[in-house]
């Protein structure tokens, strides 16, 4: 069966686990070329071995997206090996719980370096090719957590808010260049990141289900892919409530309940 992803060169950053890994598995069902990136080389090579089954072609890149020089060098190598990148899924991300008694500034710097600048460095390289070619697609993975400053997740929420706003500005600007920009805003999806969470995660989706929504959303070239609907509605309501009520909710025991 023909697929939207046939004959496309697709980059996925953060392909060693969770959503990125699952997306790579889904894309590998099409006749595409996959460029998989992450820091854990052994994981990349295992995935390459698993997916190199004749339908798709897989290349791997060990790279820390928070290091601009590493991103530039990986991008150069990708172009040499695979040519023009049709779809760039910028998915690498980290989340640290902030301690209650004051924050660790290094965690904040690292969160922004990976979640925000990790995407910006790649976009900077991609646009040098996308604008003259008048084609290309950037898929930035943000989060529904961008919408308010949730207690204990200040760095994460702030980094995702920055990324969403940046992607929105880019999307509008890139329209005249025929470059597509998609923002993905997942709710809770099972992954190494959410495995660490000690709080209850409402409407938690399996990795396969969460990834399937992203996979179908990209093929429809949606501007924003946000899910699940029930959490989205809750978030929209939370966004509207006044600060005093948000403070009250944030301090309620129920809100901070640890998962079993
Ligand atoms: N799961 C959720 O509920 C959820 C919800 C909203 C948004 N998101 C977003 O979805 C994305 C994927 O997260 P996930 O849930 O799948 O978590 P995950 O399983 O922890 O995956 C994170 C990926 O990011 C990569 N990464 C982290 N730091 C990196 C760095 N410095 N350089 C290159 N790659 C790096 C990791 O690879 P290496 O460690 O090998 O480098 C890993 O492949 C993230 O941007 C996250 O914020 C997730």
């Amino acid at each position: 069966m023909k697929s939207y992803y046939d004959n496309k060169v697709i980059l996925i950053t953060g392909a060693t686990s969770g959503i990125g890994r699952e997306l790579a598995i889904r894309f590998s069902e099409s006749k595409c070329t996959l460029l998989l990136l992450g820091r854990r080389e052994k994981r990349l090579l295992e995935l390459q071995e698993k997916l190199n089954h004749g339908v798709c072609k897989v290349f791997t890149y060990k790279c820390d997206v928070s290091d601009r020089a590493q991103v530039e060098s990986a991008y150069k190598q990708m172009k040499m090996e695979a040519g023009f990148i049709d779809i760039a899924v910028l998915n690498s991300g980290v989340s640290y719980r902030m301690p209650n008694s004051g924050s660790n500034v290094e965690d904040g710097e690292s969160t922004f370096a990976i979640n925000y600048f990790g995407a910006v460095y790649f976009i900077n390289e991609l646009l040098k090719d996308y604008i003259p070619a008048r084609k290309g697609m950037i898929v930035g993975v943000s989060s529904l957590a961008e919408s308010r400053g949730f207690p204990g997740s200040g760095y994460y929420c702030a980094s995702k808010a920055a990324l969403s706003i940046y992607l929105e500005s880019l999307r509008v600007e890139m329209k005249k260049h025929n470059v597509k920009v998609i923002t993905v805003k997942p709710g809770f999806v099972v992954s190494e990141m959410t495995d660490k969470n000690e709080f209850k995660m409402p409407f938690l989706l399996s990795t396969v289900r969460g990834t399937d929504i992203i996979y179908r959303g990209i093929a429809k070239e949606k501007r924003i892919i946000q899910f699940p609907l029930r959490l989205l509605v809750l978030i929209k309501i939370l966004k509207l409530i006044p600060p005093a009520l948000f403070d009250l909710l944030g301090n309620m025991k129920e809100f901070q309940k640890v998962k079993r």
Side-chain angles (χ1 to χ4, degrees), residues 32-234:
C32 62
T33 302
L34 284 179
L35 315 178
L36 308 180
L37 180 144
R39 291 166 303 177
R40 288 170 288 180
E41 197 171 22
K42 195 164 167 259
R43 294 265 193 116
L44 288 173
L45 296 176
E46 279 166 7
L47 190 57
Q48 182 182 38
E49 175 79 20
K50 179 181 159 80
L51 302 184
N52 251 337
H53 48 59
V55 184
C56 81
K57 204 165 164 187
V58 183
F59 294 95
T60 61
Y61 304 89
K62 181 181 186 307
C63 170
D64 181 338
V65 297
S66 67
D67 182 332
R68 188 173 170 183
Q70 284 191 37
V71 168
E72 288 172 1
S73 140
Y75 187 73
K76 219 182 256 172
Q77 203 186 330
M78 286 169 189
K79 285 209 302 181
M80 258 166 39
E81 289 174 331
F84 188 86
I85 296 170
D86 299 288
I87 304 175
V89 184
L90 307 176
N91 162 76
S92 285
V94 288
S95 160
Y96 303 105
R97 291 294 287 167
M98 282 166 65
N100 292 326
S101 53
S103 53
N104 176 343
V105 176
E106 287 75 28
D107 285 351
E109 287 171 340
S110 163
T111 304
F112 268 80
I114 297 167
N115 295 5
Y116 179 73
F117 284 104
V120 168
Y121 296 153
F122 260 109
I123 291 168
N124 187 48
E125 295 308 305
L126 288 158
L127 292 186
K128 291 177 197 165
D129 294 319
Y130 281 9
I131 293 174
R134 294 196 52 76
K135 63 175 183 173
M137 182 188 275
I138 292 163
V139 181
V141 182
S142 183
S143 168
L144 286 182
E146 50 138 47
S147 51
R148 283 211 90 141
F150 293 101
S153 301
Y155 295 145
Y156 183 73
C157 296
S159 71
K160 292 297 186 182
L163 180 62
S164 292
I165 295 289
Y166 171 70
L167 290 170
E168 180 163 68
S169 160
L170 189 69
R171 187 184 72 233
V172 179
E173 229 180 278
M174 285 302 120
K175 194 170 166 50
K176 65 174 179 287
H177 298 292
N178 198 36
V179 174
K180 299 198 169 66
V181 179
I182 295 178
T183 308
V184 181
K185 302 181 188 181
F188 295 108
V189 176
V190 172
S191 72
E192 285 184 8
M193 185 180 283
T194 46
D195 283 350
K196 287 185 297 189
N197 287 346
E198 287 161 351
F199 55 89
K200 272 191 173 174
M201 291 175 278
F203 315 118
L204 177 69
L205 296 182
S206 71
T207 324
V208 170
R209 178 81 188 106
T211 302
D212 183 58
I213 296 170
I214 300 172
Y215 177 88
R216 285 185 287 111
I218 297 173
K220 284 183 188 151
E221 301 185 352
K222 283 180 138 188
R223 287 178 178 80
I224 314 271
I225 302 170
Q226 44 192 354
F227 60 92
L229 184 63
R230 284 188 294 177
L231 187 61
L232 181 62
V233 170
L234 201 68

